[in-house]
Amino acid sequence: MTRGIGLYVHIPFCASRCPYCDFATAPATTALRPRYLDALDREIAREGELLGRPRARTLFFGGGTPSLLEPAEIQMLGDALRRAFDLRPREVTLEANPATLDRARLEAWLAVGLTRLSIGAQSFDPRGLRALGRTHQPEDSAAAVTVARDAALDVNLDLIFGWPGQTIAAWQRDLETAVALKPEHVSCYPLELRLDPDGSIPNWPGGGWPVLERWRRAAAAAQPDDAGIARMYRVAERVLGRAGYRHYEIANWAQPGKRSLHNLGYWRDRDWLGVGAGAHSHLAGARSANPTDLRSYISRAESGSDRVVDAESDPPSEAAMLALRLDSGLDLERYAARFGDTAATRVRSALREVEPAHLVQVKAHHARLTPRGRLLASEVFVRLLP
């Protein structure tokens, strides 16, 4: 642990449930909120002790909507993290929904060391926000960028494309509106609609999975087809490239020197600890995850249960797939030194299979996805699985 770790903190609370979301979320008004935050404090203390109070090189607060926490809750969380870890991060990111940050909350986050705000704009089109079940208005995202600028924070804008009824022209307008706000970083994700229930269903009141499933099936039927999604991805590459953003990862673009350091830790297969419901960890080559159901998570944290290691994880395959997501690609010599010649030979063989389809480019000991390969990355990755 001498190199330090990336530290991810999951805050599940949301003002409302976005029907396409399959992250571990729960209502901000849930009666379990105080117990959850107490359980999170316990897990932070326990993991810090077990790991020998390592340095947190990056810190990422995700959700859910962590920007909804009250100032007193933020302060207590910051105190817990400082007690458990050597908190000297190079980057501290907060995920925020537009229109959720007031001055008191922002000042509390700044006291924790906030350097970067990741704003869930998703779309600047009123039709897109309605189609996605979002509750904010298009102008709220620009206002959130202004708040970030006033606090001297870097900005990431999250955008979703391929929502029901979206046209190429509407997507281009979204991108051009985003570029005009001059964020340091832009993430563009195609709308993917999971059609099986996730573990956070019990966290929410109401109709449960049947209602969500109906919404998702109807939304999926109204989405652009695969060719339309591919064209939208190409439009994003063109618009963001012309604006000076480097396409450094399949779904991420950054101005020079502004890549997400925390997420680079994931893609470079480094050590990170995730605390909170549904959070994943990768420590000393082992992957593990917490339950997404709040009651299950709280119970485990209160009993001090050990992390549940993912026995089906295959580190060599995962490292290869993660590296190929980046524009820097996979160094096959370093890969062989880490995982052995047998694993490296298997990867080389799998990549040779897709070379004729122009999905990868292998030169000497380096492999990279081509522009076409980025679009069809799953066709490459499935061949890397054991």
Side-chain angles (χ1 to χ4, degrees):
M1 294 297 171
T2 53
R3 293 174 60 197
I5 61 171
L7 181 56
Y8 173 83
V9 182
H10 190 77
I11 307 297
F13 310 121
C14 288
S16 62
R17 177 161 193 160
C18 298
Y20 59 86
C21 175
D22 59 8
F23 293 122
T25 60
T29 54
T30 177
L32 292 173
R33 180 164 167 159
R35 280 186 65 198
Y36 178 85
L37 293 173
D38 180 63
L40 186 59
D41 191 305
R42 286 170 184 253
E43 186 187 14
I44 288 168
R46 182 172 186 275
E47 292 296 340
E49 183 177 354
L50 286 173
L51 297 174
R53 199 171 182 269
R55 180 186 170 192
R57 296 173 64 88
T58 60
L59 179 55
F60 196 109
F61 296 95
T65 313
S67 52
L68 284 175
L69 285 187
E70 297 296 337
E73 294 171 329
I74 300 164
Q75 183 180 343
M76 290 173 65
L77 179 57
D79 290 345
L81 292 168
R82 277 186 284 268
R83 286 193 299 270
F85 301 97
D86 178 10
L87 209 59
R88 293 180 290 129
R90 295 174 60 197
E91 174 190 272
V92 180
T93 301
L94 172 71
E95 287 187 338
N97 280 353
T100 58
L101 269 182
D102 55 35
R103 180 173 294 277
R105 284 187 171 94
L106 185 60
E107 287 179 355
W109 285 115
L110 290 169
V112 181
L114 185 65
T115 64
R116 187 171 178 271
L117 197 63
S118 183
I119 300 167
Q122 316 311 2
S123 178
F124 295 95
D125 187 324
R127 294 167 302 172
L129 294 176
R130 284 195 297 272
L132 292 167
R134 303 290 291 185
T135 56
H136 70 271
Q137 300 303 311
E139 59 271 18
D140 293 335
S141 295
V145 172
T146 300
V147 167
R149 294 288 176 237
D150 289 346
L153 298 172
D154 283 349
V155 171
N156 170 63
L157 288 177
D158 269 352
L159 300 176
I160 291 177
F161 63 97
W163 40 262
Q166 188 181 27
T167 62
I168 299 290
W171 174 230
Q172 178 141 350
R173 283 194 299 273
D174 265 356
L175 289 163
E176 289 169 349
T177 302
V179 164
L181 293 171
K182 295 183 169 54
E184 283 75 15
H185 192 282
V186 181
S187 301
C188 300
Y189 303 105
L191 177 62
E192 296 180 355
L193 296 165
R194 180 173 171 168
L195 294 176
D196 60 306
D198 63 75
S200 65
I201 296 291
N203 298 339
W204 288 89
W209 173 241
V211 172
L212 274 183
E213 183 183 26
R214 282 197 298 275
W215 185 93
R216 291 183 188 181
R217 289 195 182 280
Q223 280 187 278
D225 60 15
D226 288 348
I229 296 290
R231 286 181 62 199
M232 288 179 180
Y233 189 70
R234 294 275 188 247
V235 168
E237 290 181 312
R238 185 172 67 248
V239 172
L240 294 170
R242 284 177 181 168
Y245 291 86
R246 173 178 164 184
H247 191 185
Y248 75 98
E249 194 273 341
I250 286 176
N252 289 277
W253 286 256
Q255 291 180 352
K258 295 298 183 179
R259 294 176 299 173
S260 167
L261 299 181
H262 183 82
N263 288 338
L264 279 171
Y266 297 154
W267 299 316
R268 289 173 173 166
D269 208 33
R270 292 179 177 162
D271 283 336
W272 78 85
L273 170 69
V275 293
H280 291 246
S281 297
H282 176 248
L283 297 166
R287 296 186 188 276
S288 58
N290 284 335
T292 54
D293 172 65
L294 254 60
R295 292 183 187 279
S296 299
Y297 167 73
I298 291 168
S299 175
R300 289 191 65 81
E302 289 178 345
S303 65
S305 302
D306 288 335
R307 307 189 71 82
V308 179
V309 174
D310 180 2
E312 296 182 6
S313 170
D314 185 70
S317 302
E318 290 156 359
M321 289 187 280
L322 289 165
L324 285 167
R325 292 189 66 92
L326 292 168
D327 64 349
S328 52
L330 174 64
D331 184 321
L332 290 159
E333 281 189 351
R334 292 175 67 182
Y335 183 84
R338 181 179 176 191
F339 293 108
D341 290 337
T342 301
T345 299
R346 187 173 68 81
V347 167
R348 280 185 183 274
S349 176
L351 295 178
R352 271 197 294 270
E353 280 185 42
V354 293
E355 252 191 305
H358 306 292
L359 300 182
V360 295
Q361 182 182 59
V362 182
K363 285 187 176 179
H365 60 85
H366 224 97
R368 290 184 178 87
L369 293 180
T370 63
R372 173 176 161 81
R374 280 182 164 171
L375 195 58
L376 299 170
S378 60
E379 296 295 323
V380 179
F381 295 163
V382 72
R383 287 168 171 79
L384 296 172
L385 295 172

